Amino acid sequence: MALAVANTITEGGVLVAEAGTGVGKTYAYLVPALLSGGTVLVSTATKALQDQLFHRDIPRLRAALNLPLRVALLKGRSSYLCLQRLAFARQDSQANHPTTMQQLAHVERWAATTQAGDLAELEVDEESPVLPLVSSTRENCLGARCPQSHNCHVNIARSRALAADVVVVNHHLFFADLSIRESGVAELLPTVRSVIFDEAHQLNDIGVQFLGHQLTTGQLTAFGRDLLIQGLQWARGFANWNLMVLDLDRVAAALRKLCGQGVSSGKRRWNHQTPESIAERAWASVMADLRGMVLDAEDALGRVAECAPELKRLQDRAITLIERIDHFSRPADPGQVRWLESGSQVRLVESPLDIAEVMQSRVIKSAARNGGGKSVIFTSATLGGDEKMEWFVNACGLQGATLLQVESPFDYATQASLYIPRQMPKPSDPSHSGAVATFAAQSATVLGGRTLLLTTSLRALRHIGSALQQHFSQAIGIEVLVQGQLPKRELLERFSQGANGSSLGCILVASASFWEGVDVPGDALQMVIIDKLPFAPPGDPLVEAREHQMESSGKNAFKHFQLPQAAMALKQGAGRLIRRETDRGVLVVCDVRLVQMGYGRKILAALPPMKFLTTHAQFQDTLHALTKPSTMDPCWT
């Protein structure tokens, strides 16, 4: 893989490289990239992986290769401390809560010593209410008009990135910047020789979030909060800011109520003038009221905008909100899919079906236009279930790229087993989650915990997690950890350390982000249980639009979209099991469709070649064997 990356960097062009777990793909692309002598932009999936690259992987290689390279880390604006907003944070009504005040005091002490201003240094929960108070967004940043612009951590980070040999970003920042050219990445692209996308399987889903339009009640709430603070600070008496914000909150509440009537939270189709199940007259009335409230605020701000940069920025935000309200009051743009998402907040979303056109025009062709020899490299452990990797290549517009597939070096046939419980109810059966919980409790008891249980929905997560916690509430030793009850980092630390420091392990029940990026080598994780095949949820408007696009082009949507996506997601989840050469474990998929339906064989073919267990007795023997020392372990005698 390293030779393929080196050749692409030398000759220029596009490489798509799927590298199985254990290949060491990070070093395989970093070594030739660092040795190339050219500027390199590396984009990965999350801020946590960014930090791992910047603080661990690149420093190790830079030292080993003795390369005096300048390396910079660049995150989105909201990831950095905003000195200007910190100065006003205590005036925000949300800061009155005792816990928030305590956290704010912690931030103030840290602010006096931090060099980078990266909020990740704080080790505060990502959902902490204090973070929005002390960080800025594109909407509320004052830019060059800010009195703190010369000390701004974001500006300093961008300056370092522009001068660096290697810049590490994340996919969210990359696409946000392609869309609005706001964070410095678009400025970097023409100057770099190589662009590398790690964890590239997430590119399409992340990209479509940023390449369309969004209007959320969260944006309205944030605007109202800043309107009240800045209005009273800089223009008290020039307008009734309190009444204005109350009116805005009232209309936003009416929008939330209208969108939540008679439906559960989630995505809703929006194929016509209004979202599904919402009366056209009621929708038009709420949107008109919302536009009127924001327009009143924009008018008031326009009369006092010269008083302070904060007020001028608020006026710009009001104009942007009006434009978004107008956009969602019209039919969707051609080639776009629109939907409404309700839950803790309401989101109006319009996006392209995939990122193919943007990747071709803004990244691939842009690299070719800016001089020969430029290279773009995409890599991940899971990019497709076939040798052409069509699932990934087509969505990203990479037809014609050089393709490479490198198998995992792990001996899965010896190290891992696969079991599909034949007695399990079908996934559509209401008793399925309860049966999974019972199976997991019995199996994890034999193993002494050491189990990661991945669910395909939050509903199943809550049901199974609650059942397991109740089952083990009186047991000594095994601890059940459930996603959402603690921050992800703390959950993984506790899971890796075992139950209360004893010789027994934990059961971790999780969903969503835990299907990938979780690295727990060793005996702390010996069994991965997946509740059912991770097909895309029914009724998802974006999924339906993609399927319709495939059907209209003569393809079978289930065969060419649903199956490959489910296979890749299952492979990601299964990849949590074996993380090093001495690991041993068993993968359990509680979905009888794998052995009862014809398509099951195609999904199984995407998994590593594990030993297949056909009976419950074989499964029990495997569990007992895992509790004994392994001859694969170098410490075994």
Side-chain angles (χ1 to χ4, degrees):
M1 180 180 170
L3 290 172
V5 172
N7 184 65
T8 304
I9 291 176
T10 302
E11 302 296 329
V14 180
L15 171 68
V16 176
E18 182 182 73
T21 306
V23 165
K25 64 182 173 64
T26 303
Y27 281 16
Y29 69 71
L30 279 179
V31 169
L34 298 182
L35 289 171
S36 70
T39 52
V40 180
L41 178 69
V42 181
S43 180
T44 190
T46 65
K47 288 186 284 188
L49 290 171
Q50 257 188 289
D51 289 333
Q52 180 177 304
L53 280 169
F54 181 76
H55 294 293
R56 189 189 73 180
D57 297 330
I58 293 177
R60 286 178 179 176
L61 287 178
R62 187 168 56 174
L65 300 171
N66 193 27
L67 295 172
L69 297 172
R70 295 165 297 178
V71 183
L73 180 70
L74 185 60
K75 298 181 180 180
R77 182 186 299 280
S78 61
S79 295
Y80 296 95
L81 172 70
C82 174
L83 298 172
Q84 180 72 355
R85 287 182 63 80
L86 177 63
F88 290 101
R90 290 196 175 272
Q91 298 176 29
D92 196 306
S93 59
Q94 293 194 8
N96 293 331
H97 191 278
T99 302
T100 306
M101 291 180 66
Q102 185 178 12
Q103 291 182 352
L104 186 54
H106 177 52
V107 173
E108 289 169 338
R109 291 191 296 271
W110 166 77
T113 59
T114 181
Q115 296 295 313
D118 188 341
L119 292 169
E121 297 174 6
L122 280 170
E123 296 190 353
V124 174
D125 183 6
E126 289 185 359
E127 302 300 319
S128 170
V130 78
L131 296 183
L133 302 181
V134 299
S135 61
S136 67
T137 64
R138 183 177 68 90
E139 287 79 12
N140 61 34
C141 175
L142 300 177
R145 293 169 295 187
C146 179
Q148 296 282 357
S149 60
H150 60 291
N151 293 321
C152 175
H153 293 296
V154 175
N155 289 343
I156 294 171
R158 288 183 188 170
S159 297
R160 288 173 177 163
L162 288 169
D165 303 298
V166 181
V167 183
V168 183
V169 301
N170 61 64
H171 300 339
H172 291 81
L173 177 65
F174 183 87
F175 283 108
D177 202 72
L178 278 190
S179 177
I180 58 179
R181 288 182 169 269
E182 191 269 336
S183 299
V185 173
E187 192 177 353
L188 276 169
L189 270 180
T191 68
V192 300
R193 184 179 177 189
S194 302
V195 181
I196 300 172
F197 293 100
D198 196 359
E199 300 297 324
H201 65 280
Q202 292 196 31
L203 275 175
N204 190 50
D205 286 341
I206 292 174
V208 296
Q209 297 177 37
F210 292 94
L211 299 178
H213 302 274
Q214 283 198 34
L215 175 65
T216 73
T217 51
Q219 293 169 348
L220 298 171
T221 300
F223 173 73
R225 185 173 65 239
D226 291 344
L227 179 65
L228 183 61
I229 293 173
Q230 304 301 342
L232 294 177
Q233 172 75 20
W234 303 108
R236 185 185 293 269
F238 285 88
N240 192 335
W241 306 109
N242 284 288
L243 181 60
M244 203 175 293
V245 172
L246 285 173
D247 285 342
L248 184 61
D249 288 345
R250 174 180 54 79
V251 179
L255 177 63
R256 283 192 293 269
K257 182 178 180 182
L258 179 64
C259 294
Q261 285 180 345
V263 297
S264 58
S265 60
K267 293 180 181 178
R268 215 177 320 171
R269 299 177 191 88
W270 191 345
N271 298 328
H272 303 290
Q273 187 69 28
T274 63
E276 185 179 62
S277 76
I278 295 181
E280 189 170 331
R281 181 177 296 180
W283 179 259
S285 176
V286 167
M287 293 297 279
D289 287 348
L290 185 59
R291 190 184 195 282
M293 293 298 103
V294 180
L295 188 61
D296 287 345
E298 191 276 328
D299 183 60
L301 288 164
R303 294 194 296 269
V304 297
E306 299 304 318
C307 295
E310 287 86 350
L311 298 178
K312 181 65 176 73
R313 190 68 183 113
L314 275 171
Q315 184 190 16
D316 295 339
R317 287 169 67 183
I319 293 171
T320 300
L321 285 173
I322 292 169
E323 291 172 349
R324 292 179 182 177
I325 293 168
D326 288 344
H327 183 85
F328 283 102
S329 298
R330 301 188 299 265
D333 291 340
Q336 305 280 301
V337 59
R338 182 179 285 186
W339 69 90
L340 180 146
E341 191 169 338
S342 57
S344 58
Q345 65 171 314
V346 171
R347 297 172 67 235
L348 316 184
V349 186
E350 182 179 300
S351 80
L353 294 178
D354 56 43
I355 62 172
E357 182 180 345
V358 169
M359 292 301 292
Q360 270 294 324
S361 62
R362 304 285 294 278
V363 180
I364 308 301
K365 290 182 180 178
S366 175
R369 283 196 303 268
N370 284 285
K374 294 212 170 189
S375 58
V376 187
I377 295 154
F378 302 83
T379 185
S380 171
T382 52
L383 290 178
D386 62 296
E387 61 183 15
K388 294 182 179 180
M389 295 182 273
E390 288 185 337
W391 174 80
F392 173 76
V393 167
N394 292 344
C396 294
L398 303 179
Q399 294 85 349
T402 300
L403 305 181
L404 173 70
Q405 288 178 303
V406 186
E407 294 297 324
S408 169
F410 295 150
D411 184 1
Y412 280 98
T414 302
Q415 294 179 248
S417 303
L418 170 64
Y419 179 54
I420 303 165
R422 307 301 202 278
Q423 73 280 9
M424 194 66 59
K426 292 183 178 180
S428 57
D429 192 312
S431 66
H432 180 263
S433 290
V436 172
T438 300
F439 176 88
Q442 296 170 348
S443 305
T445 298
V446 175
L447 205 55
R450 314 181 202 286
T451 298
L452 172 63
L453 198 159
L454 297 172
T455 70
T456 54
S457 70
L458 294 178
R459 182 178 181 181
L461 167 76
R462 290 189 288 267
H463 187 163
I464 296 171
S466 175
L468 286 172
Q469 286 184 328
Q470 185 175 355
H471 178 88
F472 286 101
S473 60
Q474 304 301 320
I476 298 176
I478 297 177
E479 180 181 9
V480 179
L481 307 169
V482 179
Q483 178 184 349
Q485 295 180 356
L486 290 170
K488 179 178 180 179
R489 178 165 41 190
E490 186 173 346
L491 283 172
L492 290 174
E493 287 176 357
R494 290 177 62 169
F495 182 73
S496 300
Q497 293 166 2
N500 303 315
S502 71
S503 60
L504 294 176
C506 298
I507 302 172
L508 173 57
V509 186
S511 186
S513 61
F514 284 77
W515 279 71
E516 53 190 85
V518 171
D519 187 17
V520 185
D523 290 346
L525 174 55
Q526 292 186 313
M527 179 165 61
V528 172
I529 300 176
I530 295 175
D531 70 333
K532 57 185 177 182
L533 293 175
F535 285 114
D540 186 304
L542 184 57
V543 171
E544 288 183 348
R546 287 173 175 166
E547 289 179 330
H548 178 73
Q549 182 188 50
M550 285 195 166
E551 298 285 356
S552 63
S553 65
K555 291 184 176 180
N556 182 291
F558 183 76
K559 177 181 178 182
H560 292 96
F561 176 70
Q562 285 277 12
L563 271 184
Q565 180 162 295
M568 292 304 96
L570 184 66
K571 188 176 179 180
Q572 280 286 343
R576 304 312 101 210
L577 183 63
I578 303 299
R579 306 301 299 176
R580 66 183 185 189
E581 290 86 348
T582 55
D583 283 357
R584 300 177 300 152
V586 58
L587 170 67
V588 181
V589 184
C590 300
D591 195 326
V592 293
R593 291 176 294 181
L594 274 173
V595 291
Q596 292 178 352
M597 305 300 291
Y599 61 74
R601 291 191 301 273
K602 293 184 178 180
I603 294 180
L604 289 173
L607 293 175
M610 305 177 184
K611 179 182 178 182
F612 195 70
L613 308 176
T614 57
T615 67
H616 189 67
Q618 290 177 335
F619 172 64
Q620 289 289 315
D621 290 343
T622 299
L623 289 183
H624 286 291
L626 288 172
T627 64
K628 301 173 184 177
S630 168
T631 55
M632 297 176 65
D633 192 327
C635 297
W636 181 83
T637 57

